[in-house]
């Protein structure tokens, strides 16, 4: 099992918003869009966390895409 998990500075006005974007996709049905609203001197992160160790030895890599307005 896997799940997205967020980590953020709860001591400041920092927010992450997640939506699916069906117009922008690579090989699946949709992409995950993450909007960051970070307070000054703050931080946030989002990770895909697995409950069991994964064998990535046959993986061809990870692709991360960025779309800028």
């Amino acid at each position: 099992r896997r799940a997205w998990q967020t980590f953020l500075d709860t001591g400041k006005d920092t927010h992450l918003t997640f939506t699916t974007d069906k117009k922008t996709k690579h090989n699946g049905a949709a992409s995950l869009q993450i909007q960051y609203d970070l307070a000054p001197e703050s931080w946030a992160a989002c990770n895909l966390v697995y409950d069991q160790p994964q064998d990535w030895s046959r993986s061809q890599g990870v692709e991360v895409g960025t779309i800028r307005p």
Side-chain angles (χ1 to χ4, degrees), residues 3-52:
W4 287 99
Q5 187 169 5
T6 60
F7 305 91
L8 54 94
D9 187 353
T10 58
K12 298 192 178 170
D13 193 22
T14 294
H15 305 279
L16 296 176
T17 304
F18 301 90
T19 56
T20 54
D21 181 352
K22 293 184 179 182
K23 292 180 184 177
T24 308
K25 55 190 174 185
H26 186 60
N27 288 325
S31 61
L32 175 65
Q33 183 180 36
I34 306 170
Q35 284 188 305
Y36 291 84
D37 184 10
L38 303 178
E41 304 295 323
S42 185
W43 58 272
C46 176
N47 296 324
L48 185 56
V49 179
Y50 293 84
D51 61 355
Q52 297 292 320

